[in-house]
Amino acid sequence: MDVLLGSWVLHGSQSLEWEELSRTGLPLCDAVVNLAGENVLNPFRRWGDAFCREVISSRVETTKTLAKAIVDAEQPPRAWVLVTGVGYYCPSPTAEYTEDSPGGNFDFFSRLVSSWEAAALIPGSPARGVVVRSGVVLGRGGGAISQMLWPFRLGLGGPLGSGLQPFPWIHIRDLAGIVCHALESECLQGVLNGVAPSSSATSNGTFAREFAAALGRPALLPVPAWAVRAVFGAERAVMLLEGQRVLPKRTLESGYCFIFPDLAGALKEIVA
């Protein structure tokens, strides 16, 4: 299967510039996957209007570019997969969300996901549309783990704020697996929640303890909420100090079998 990856605009082993894609159109391919998006939790970027515009453009405008390319293609791809986020759902310590749950209109991030997913809609297109709403992606060499690894290795890690907030997570191999599942399942379309089956029972505190245990370290130093807000700003801090209990109901019903359904197994593989 020849797949165009929209995060780097890769086509097979070749790369394209976004401007070239806009000018020449979509190359012949079986599927398009959009993984593009500026890192919202970059601690070196101040949260302000300019950064917000970058965050929006890197998601919504790239998605619009790819959607237009699909519409204009002489031979459209068979599948069109977009990876967004569980920020679509309203943070709650008790509510549980499936793919059919409402959301998308209560804060900056939920509205961002709504705009992002709306940009991917192509009514009447022969390309199957699948949206994967991802939780926190855990894997080696990048993402959330890379920011937490050294503090935890030094025994300086701990929960954020109260530690009671839900922590929706997924191993990177399962996120890739769900995307591949979406590409290969010719009848599959709509929303899939990209979270591990046990993540609805995982709190931030649970994650901190399990991560520390996997490293053979304690997790005794919580990061106070005020410090998180000071680094990231009040609006972004919500992503870390609050969370959602998300269930991969439709993902499981579609036949996807998780490689890492539980946190201990996922972390053991990552830090091994």
Side-chain angles (χ1 to χ4, degrees), residues 67-259:
K68 184 179 185 302
I70 291 171
V71 169
D72 294 342
E74 291 186 14
Q75 185 174 331
R78 298 199 305 270
W80 166 217
V81 180
L82 175 67
V83 179
T84 64
V86 296
Y88 176 85
Y89 307 110
C90 185
S92 169
T94 56
E96 292 188 333
Y97 300 107
T98 70
E99 290 87 347
D100 295 322
S101 298
N105 191 29
F106 57 88
D107 65 3
F108 172 85
F109 298 106
S110 65
R111 288 187 286 271
L112 171 62
V113 176
S114 288
S115 299
W116 195 0
E117 294 180 1
L121 293 176
I122 310 175
S125 172
R128 285 185 300 107
V130 180
V131 170
V132 181
R133 291 181 183 148
S134 173
V136 178
V137 182
L138 306 180
R140 302 184 190 183
I145 291 294
S146 67
Q147 297 182 26
M148 295 183 286
L149 185 58
W150 283 109
F152 273 83
R153 280 198 188 280
L154 295 172
L156 303 176
L160 302 179
S162 70
L164 300 176
Q165 65 272 32
F167 187 84
W169 63 273
I170 186 169
H171 192 287
I172 193 169
R173 285 177 58 187
D174 277 314
L175 181 58
I178 291 171
V179 170
C180 290
H181 177 65
L183 294 174
E184 295 167 356
S185 302
E186 295 188 359
C187 295
L188 187 58
Q189 57 185 341
V191 176
L192 301 175
N193 282 336
V195 294
S198 66
S199 76
S200 64
T202 304
S203 68
N204 184 272
T206 301
F207 171 79
R209 289 191 296 272
E210 292 276 6
F211 187 36
L215 293 168
R217 298 290 188 273
L220 303 176
L221 298 175
V223 180
W226 64 262
V228 177
R229 295 188 186 100
V231 172
F232 293 100
E235 199 163 28
R236 272 193 299 183
V238 169
M239 299 180 68
L240 299 171
L241 299 175
E242 302 181 28
Q244 306 88 344
R245 297 186 185 279
V246 182
L247 304 172
K249 181 175 181 291
R250 192 162 180 266
T251 306
L252 291 168
E253 291 173 350
S254 73
Y256 181 72
C257 183
F258 280 82
I259 304 168

